[in-house]
Amino acid sequence: MVQEVWPQNKILKGIAASPGIIIAPAHVLADRKRIQIFYRYLSSPQQGAQEQERFRQAIALTQQELIQSKEAIPEDFREHAYILDTHLLILQDRLLLDETLRLIQQEKINAEWAVKQAVKKAQALFEQIADPYIRSRVQDIEDVSERILRHLTGTNSSSFTNFKEPVIIVAQNLSPVDTTQMSVDQVQGFITEMGGKTAHTAIMAQCLRIPAVVGVENATREIDTGYTLILDGLTGTVIVNPDTSMMAIYLDRKKKFENFKAEVNRASFRPAVTLDDYPTRIMANIEFQDELDLVLDYGADGVGLYRTEFLYLRQHHLPTEEELFEDYKTVAHIMKPKPVTIRTLDIGGDKFASYSDYVQEMNPALGLRAIRFCLKEHQIFRSQLRAILRASAFGSVRIMFPLISGVQEVVAARRMLEDIKAELQRENLLFDPHIPVGVMIEVPAAVMLADLLAQEADFFSIGTNDLIQYALAVDRGNKYVAEMYQPLHPAVLRMVKQVVNAAHVAGIPVAMCGEMAGDPFYTPILLGLGVDELSMNVPSIPVVKRIVRMATMQEAQEFAHQALQLGSIEAVSSYVTNFMARRFPEVFMFGRELVNSNY
């Protein structure tokens, strides 16, 4: 009999999804394959009615299952149950519910095939969304539809309990609900072939503090149950059957990382003030009000970016002014006296196809979106502005207009805001008459007009994700050019400096709310360029605060000045890397990985 030879020290690479280092045996969910769906033509109206009823029953069973999963979330992590609320809302979403019922009736197809077609349509719609974070939310629709299909086809899902020893789960894909069903005593980490770091599965893993690596190609084929694995959720590395030497290296790395993380988190409530007494406000980017507990836990100085699109995407109808007002009021009240910056709608007209004549655009990133859409659809914009103004009576609220490309857009938006203020006064409704109004600097035109825009704004917020994309003409979602998306491109640094100079001459502050703001690798250079406020995903806050507290403004300014003299990406990157490795070695070793694994 030939004895099987196990591979040793085999390295698999994926995406770091939840930080931490775990060493444990693998348990492969090899039976967790995509559900087989077959087409069936419905030959009579009666069959159509039966299929619709079968689909509604599957929806009801899925709803019941999600509610049970939500109730089973441990009390300590209940604040993250909003992710399952999102899945419950998807069950009522017109993209899935109405579209599937329509397809069954009009196309005369079986429920399973109709669900599959509805999901394809949703995937195509989300693919057109410019914001990568919102675009990735289509994974939630895919997860929910898979659960519906399991009920339609009678396919059982896998169990995540009753293991003989703690294991690392290896699967093709996992949903957020699967993650909530994992016992942290038995499941020490997981590896999937699918998924990204902004998926709700990854977010749940972070909340439950389960290390995870996603996007590992062929993981279920490369790994067998029983193999010993090192899962490095900081770098996205998986080592299969490590030898004793490799094991010793990672045990030491694990110990150092856990010490660093504990030290960083203990100090997260301390203010971000440099060694020579220059304060910097460290703010949070959020999408749901349920994230506010974490915002406060991590010691944020406020909310620098509240994305408001989800309220418009999650239900059958446009949100009413009252619904928006209640949501914004709650956020303002909880954060009071800390500021909350509400960004007005930043999606395109095609997402409102059910209410208007807009059709899918060929290039939505350059199309009718954000402030352009709002200034065209006055009623939708007015409703949101009224809700934001009314919420401003319950806390420190700021309003921010996205994708501004000219002075006329700010003037038009502010004119509408002033009209609504007068309207609210006539109605005896409370609001902050001096609510600060900000302009997002996201396109090169806004950079060039920064001095003029500064005359019309109370603050700037640089959205680096879009600014870098538009300035360098690079789609970072395109694998052929993604490596050209470089925050340290000399043109990007000079644009940031130009915006800061124009703002400070006009006496207004400059914030930054793109991903660059939350990466500790860029913190010293942004301080030196003069950015006054950094807003980021919540887990980045402790690490960025630590860098600010370890720096001096004088050295940051000298560092940024030298960087601005360099003419190539390679020269700037080398300069910044050497400086960070020398000046912040511990943070450089773990801080960036800790933050990036949480994006």
Side-chain angles (χ1 to χ4, degrees):
M1 179 177 175
V2 179
Q3 188 173 1
E4 182 185 3
V5 179
W6 284 12
Q8 195 165 53
N9 283 345
K10 183 165 189 174
I11 296 175
L12 305 177
K13 292 295 289 183
I15 300 167
S18 182
I21 297 169
I22 288 295
I23 302 172
H27 181 90
V28 182
L29 299 179
D31 60 335
R32 196 179 176 83
K33 294 177 179 175
R34 285 287 176 189
I35 304 161
Q36 294 294 312
I37 304 298
F38 298 99
Y39 171 87
R40 184 159 57 88
Y41 180 75
L42 306 177
S43 57
S44 70
Q46 184 181 10
Q47 284 184 325
Q50 288 171 346
E51 282 300 291
Q52 287 190 330
E53 179 56 28
R54 202 163 66 84
F55 172 64
R56 288 192 181 95
Q57 288 176 2
I59 290 280
L61 289 170
T62 305
Q63 185 179 38
Q64 185 180 355
E65 192 176 55
L66 289 172
I67 291 171
Q68 288 173 349
S69 296
K70 181 182 168 185
E71 291 173 348
I73 294 177
E75 191 63 36
D76 289 348
F77 305 113
R78 193 59 61 84
E79 65 198 64
H80 308 295
Y82 72 89
I83 290 177
L84 298 195
D85 287 333
T86 306
H87 283 205
L88 284 165
L89 288 168
I90 288 172
L91 289 173
Q92 306 166 32
D93 193 289
R94 63 182 186 277
L95 285 175
L96 188 62
L97 179 65
D98 293 359
E99 182 62 10
T100 301
L101 291 171
R102 185 192 71 78
L103 286 166
I104 293 171
Q105 182 180 21
Q106 295 183 6
E107 304 294 326
K108 298 181 173 52
I109 54 178
N110 54 315
E112 292 90 337
W113 198 258
V115 170
K116 187 176 178 180
Q117 302 311 308
V119 171
K120 280 186 177 178
K121 186 174 180 181
Q123 288 168 331
L125 280 173
F126 274 75
E127 189 61 34
Q128 303 300 316
I129 296 177
D131 187 322
Y133 181 83
I134 298 175
R135 188 167 62 230
S136 70
R137 298 279 69 83
V138 74
Q139 291 169 14
D140 294 311
I141 295 178
E142 294 167 355
D143 289 339
V144 173
S145 67
E146 184 170 323
R147 200 160 285 276
I148 296 169
L149 288 171
R150 287 188 183 282
H151 285 295
L152 283 169
T153 59
T155 308
N156 293 326
S157 58
S158 303
S159 170
F160 297 97
T161 57
N162 300 323
F163 300 111
K164 291 179 181 177
E165 59 183 336
V167 297
I168 294 173
I169 294 287
V170 182
Q172 290 178 323
N173 195 20
L174 296 171
S175 74
V177 177
D178 294 332
T179 314
T180 65
Q181 293 172 343
M182 293 176 180
S183 163
V184 292
D185 293 330
Q186 293 191 310
V187 178
Q188 304 238 309
F190 67 78
I191 299 161
T192 64
E193 296 177 353
M194 304 176 71
K197 60 176 63 177
T198 58
H200 275 150
T201 300
I203 293 171
M204 280 304 297
Q206 294 158 20
C207 296
L208 296 169
R209 299 181 178 88
I210 299 175
V213 176
V214 301
V216 181
E217 285 187 22
N218 301 319
T220 57
R221 275 189 276 174
E222 298 282 355
I223 300 169
D224 281 343
T225 293
Y227 281 5
T228 298
L229 301 178
I230 295 176
L231 185 162
D232 186 342
L234 294 163
T235 62
T237 303
V238 177
I239 298 171
V240 182
N241 295 323
D243 60 18
T244 52
S245 173
M246 184 70 78
M247 195 83 87
I249 291 171
Y250 270 87
L251 285 172
D252 181 61
R253 176 173 164 79
K254 175 181 168 70
K255 182 179 177 182
K256 287 178 177 173
F257 166 69
E258 290 177 352
N259 288 340
F260 170 78
K261 184 179 176 184
E263 192 177 334
V264 166
N265 288 339
R266 269 198 303 272
S268 65
F269 274 95
R270 292 173 56 196
V273 180
T274 62
L275 292 172
D276 46 356
D277 293 329
Y278 283 86
T280 299
R281 285 214 290 197
I282 306 300
M283 313 282 275
N285 296 344
I286 66 166
E287 186 178 8
F288 308 101
Q289 59 176 253
D290 312 74
E291 297 173 76
L292 293 178
D293 286 342
L294 270 183
V295 171
L296 295 172
D297 285 349
Y298 278 90
D301 297 316
V303 173
L305 170 63
Y306 183 22
R307 302 182 179 95
T308 57
E309 292 73 30
F310 183 70
L311 290 168
Y312 292 82
L313 295 171
R314 73 178 188 182
Q315 50 195 2
H316 296 281
H317 57 81
L318 284 171
T320 64
E321 178 186 322
E322 285 304 309
E323 288 173 325
L324 296 173
F325 165 62
E326 288 297 331
D327 184 87
Y328 303 157
K329 183 182 77 171
T330 301
V331 174
H333 179 71
I334 291 174
M335 290 303 299
K336 187 180 179 181
K338 296 180 177 180
V340 173
T341 312
I342 301 178
R343 181 181 70 183
T344 56
L345 263 179
D346 191 18
I347 50 180
D350 55 319
K351 307 306 173 300
F352 294 87
S354 300
Y355 322 111
S356 63
D357 297 328
Y358 296 115
V359 297
Q360 189 170 319
E361 297 177 85
M362 290 295 291
N363 193 347
L366 303 180
L368 186 65
R369 56 171 280 220
I371 195 67
R372 302 168 185 178
F373 172 77
C374 289
L375 291 175
K376 192 174 179 62
E377 287 293 337
H378 283 195
Q379 198 50 48
I380 293 174
F381 195 31
R382 284 177 61 81
S383 176
Q384 186 177 34
L385 292 180
R386 279 181 60 95
I388 295 172
L389 277 172
R390 290 173 59 196
S392 68
F394 297 87
S396 176
V397 174
R398 306 188 297 190
I399 190 168
M400 187 162 72
F401 300 130
L403 207 70
I404 292 294
S405 59
V407 175
Q408 73 284 356
E409 292 169 332
V410 187
V411 171
R414 292 202 73 140
R415 187 184 301 129
M416 190 178 293
L417 191 68
E418 293 304 316
D419 289 345
I420 294 171
K421 285 181 182 178
E423 197 173 270
L424 294 178
Q425 276 181 328
R426 290 194 295 273
E427 297 171 20
N428 291 321
L429 291 173
L430 297 175
F431 66 94
D432 176 7
H434 305 296
I435 183 171
V437 176
V439 164
M440 288 199 72
I441 306 295
E442 300 176 277
V443 298
V447 176
M448 298 305 296
L449 297 174
D451 57 333
L452 300 178
L453 291 172
Q455 305 303 316
E456 306 294 336
D458 299 310
F459 66 94
F460 282 160
S461 185
I462 303 174
T464 50
N465 298 0
D466 274 343
L467 181 59
I468 296 170
Q469 173 171 276
Y470 291 131
L472 304 183
V474 169
D475 176 4
R476 64 177 180 165
N478 181 335
K479 65 181 180 181
Y480 299 111
V481 295
E483 65 179 19
M484 297 173 69
Y485 181 94
Q486 294 287 347
L488 289 179
H489 192 292
V492 175
L493 298 184
R494 289 177 182 227
M495 283 193 290
V496 172
K497 185 59 178 170
Q498 185 173 335
V499 171
V500 169
N501 287 347
H504 287 177
V505 166
I508 65 171
V510 179
M512 180 178 284
C513 62
E515 286 184 12
M516 190 176 182
D519 189 334
F521 188 68
Y522 306 123
T523 303
I525 202 165
L526 295 177
L527 285 179
L529 289 172
V531 178
D532 304 292
E533 180 180 302
L534 300 171
S535 189
M536 59 204 69
N537 287 356
V538 176
S540 301
I541 291 171
V543 180
V544 171
K545 275 189 161 185
R546 181 181 173 93
I547 293 229
V548 173
R549 287 196 298 268
M550 293 172 67
T552 68
M553 184 56 78
Q554 183 180 352
E555 73 171 340
Q557 288 173 341
E558 291 171 359
F559 171 52
H561 176 74
Q562 290 300 321
L564 285 171
Q565 311 310 309
L566 302 173
S568 69
I569 299 169
E570 293 75 16
V572 178
S573 296
S574 174
Y575 176 66
V576 173
T577 300
N578 290 335
F579 174 84
M580 293 299 291
R582 173 175 54 80
R583 183 65 179 78
F584 306 97
E586 193 185 23
V587 175
F588 187 62
M589 182 184 299
F590 289 121
R592 197 178 194 198
E593 294 173 343
L594 176 61
V595 167
N596 287 343
S597 61
N598 280 296
Y599 271 114

